[in-house]
Amino acid sequence: KAGVTQTPRYLIKTRGQQVTLSCSPISGHRSVSWYQQTPGQGLQFLFEYFSETQRNKGNFPGRFSGRQFSNSRSEMNVSTLELGDSALYLCASSGGQGDLETQYFGPGTRLLVL
Amino acid sequence: GQNIDQPTEMTATEGAIVQINCTYQTSGFNGLFWYQQHAGEAPTFLSYNVLDGLEEKGRFSSFLSRSKGYSYLLLKELQMKDSASYLCAVMDSNYQLIWGAGTKLIIKP
């Protein structure tokens, strides 16, 4: 079974621009969570989607948004980029049969804002 | 508030045993996870504990005490490839994962 995939893997943007990141979960998984990770920091939870609905949300400004499609693929968008948005963005999928809670991570998208 | 505590960094010798502790205070409890993350890579799942006691999986074991809000990850027969960060996460009453900042484990020959 294919793992979680994320595109693009690397991205360079400038301040003020916007960016859209994509995540395809493991086949059969209906939940997708997004995290931001900066050097020396733990995983900071952004939001979780389940069956196209946002189920949980972290403490990030409204510039960070997301959505999920009917095939469970998810996108997150960051508008008006700031230097501090430079980070590794990880998505994780869960909801596999017999293994509902475990999150499986994609390789991440490394975003650099200049 | 919700809080997960684990040591920032630990050093151990190849072939030895190391125990990484995690204490937590969360709103509810629906399980505790350990993940391994090598530098520049995504976290990979190691273990899941929802009941008290020890879960053994090869060289890695994870222990949970819900009454004490405490868990540890035990790594035996350490190998150089075990150098990584180890993340502790607790699933709260809303089924949201609360993450610790991770423990960087350095293995020396």
Side-chain angles (χ1 to χ4, degrees):
Chain A
K1 193 181 268 191
V4 179
T5 58
Q6 290 186 247
T7 56
R9 293 291 311 279
Y10 303 92
L11 205 50
I12 300 176
K13 292 285 188 178
T14 56
R15 278 179 298 174
Q17 287 187 309
Q18 76 164 18
V19 66
T20 298
L21 311 181
S22 181
C23 172
S24 292
I26 292 171
S27 177
H29 285 193
R30 294 166 65 188
S31 173
V32 173
S33 298
W34 287 91
Y35 296 91
Q36 181 195 67
Q37 188 176 39
T38 50
Q41 297 293 314
L43 292 172
Q44 303 296 314
F45 173 71
L46 283 155
F47 26 67
E48 181 203 3
Y49 286 88
F50 179 83
S51 292
E52 302 179 67
T53 301
Q54 188 179 87
R55 188 159 67 172
N56 276 309
K57 189 178 189 305
N59 296 322
F60 276 80
R63 300 186 296 108
F64 292 81
S65 62
R67 58 178 176 168
Q68 187 180 34
F69 302 95
S70 58
N71 61 358
S72 293
R73 190 177 70 86
S74 177
E75 290 182 346
M76 68 162 280
N77 184 77
V78 188
S79 62
T80 321
L81 284 166
E82 300 176 359
L83 295 179
D85 296 334
S86 295
L88 178 66
Y89 290 87
L90 292 160
C91 90
S93 76
S94 59
Q97 199 167 16
D99 186 22
L100 290 176
E101 292 84 14
T102 303
Q103 293 192 2
Y104 295 92
F105 285 83
T109 294
R110 195 165 294 279
L111 172 65
L112 177 63
V113 182
L114 302 175
Chain B
Q2 308 203 88
N3 195 50
I4 310 283
D5 284 319
Q6 47 180 136
T8 303
E9 187 174 296
M10 299 181 71
T11 302
T13 305
E14 190 178 15
I17 299 173
V18 71
Q19 177 175 310
I20 303 174
N21 296 325
C22 170
T23 57
Y24 63 90
Q25 289 180 303
T26 56
S27 302
F29 179 85
N30 280 302
L32 185 143
F33 295 81
W34 284 97
Y35 282 79
Q36 179 192 61
Q37 186 177 25
H38 285 101
E41 298 182 10
T44 55
F45 169 72
L46 287 177
S47 67
Y48 170 65
N49 294 67
V50 67
L51 299 175
D52 290 351
L54 187 69
E55 295 275 346
E56 297 187 78
K57 198 184 289 187
R59 294 189 299 115
F60 292 9
S61 302
S62 56
F63 172 83
L64 174 67
S65 170
R66 288 172 297 171
S67 63
K68 296 182 179 178
Y70 168 71
S71 172
Y72 66 74
L73 180 69
L74 191 72
L75 291 74
K76 303 176 185 176
E77 301 169 14
L78 286 169
Q79 302 175 8
M80 297 304 292
K81 68 178 181 179
D82 298 330
S83 292
S85 287
Y86 291 85
L87 310 177
C88 172
V90 173
M91 186 163 278
D92 69 10
S93 57
N94 291 323
Y95 290 90
Q96 182 175 328
L97 275 179
I98 311 301
W99 293 84
T103 298
K104 183 178 180 180
L105 178 63
I106 299 168
I107 309 295
K108 295 186 175 180

